[in-house]
Amino acid sequence: GILLIYLHFGTIDFQAVFQRAPELAQAQPGLLSLICLCLFAGACGKSAQLPLYVWLPDAKTADPGRGRSIQGVPDYPSRSLEAIKAMVEQLDEGATRAVIVRHLALPGGLEDSKLLLKTLREQFRDQIHISLMGQYFPTYKTIGHQVLGRRITRYEYHKIVSFARNLGFEKGWVQHYETDTGISPYCLS
């Protein structure tokens, strides 16, 4: 979709694209629909939705207080589990191939991460894969924030990874804790 925009408009500056879109719509009917469909398909592929048949939900917190203060959603934990349950039901029905639950470990959230992982393990056992990420770093409004104004420590992150392994999670991935990138996943098993 982005390539089509560039090829037909000579830019990916959306302000310029929106200004010239009406003339392109008249000159080449259907092209804007094709571009929109390609952008939509790209978004679906990026978020691992159909037609890849893999769900990639985020599980950020098990603590309603943290859900309220960080996400602004007091019932985040129950809503998140409800969504994951619906995805797992699709797995049971054969409508999807995998559910990979992503957890971004946040600073000061060691006990919350443990509770979240314990809850996921108790509710879904081996039906889900887990992806643990330690790449968080403060930006924009979180710089100077009392809780989120720092990176997660190596100690906190390794405690979370060890806890996940001790719970019995074997299907999934863990990012290496590296201060420069936080990238370089390895398998849990």
Side-chain angles (χ1 to χ4, degrees), residues 50 53-55 86-98:
L50 296 176
Y53 307 109
V54 176
W55 287 107
M87 294 172 200
V88 168
E89 287 172 0
Q90 289 181 13
L91 183 69
D92 294 340
E93 297 164 2
T96 192
R97 293 179 59 191

Side-chain angles (χ1 to χ4, degrees), residues 73-128:
V73 183
D75 58 349
Y76 176 87
S78 61
R79 296 292 182 146
S80 173
L81 290 173
E82 186 180 305
I84 294 168
K85 182 180 178 189
M87 294 172 200
V88 168
E89 287 172 0
Q90 289 181 13
L91 183 69
D92 294 340
E93 297 164 2
T96 192
R97 293 179 59 191
V99 177
I100 304 169
V101 179
R102 302 181 308 170
H103 176 58
L104 176 63
L106 295 174
L110 178 58
E111 293 307 314
D112 184 40
S113 288
K114 286 180 176 182
L115 179 59
L116 175 68
L117 290 168
K118 184 174 185 247
T119 302
L120 289 171
R121 184 71 178 153
E122 288 171 353
Q123 288 199 19
F124 303 110
R125 307 295 306 160
D126 291 326
Q127 294 177 296
I128 62 171

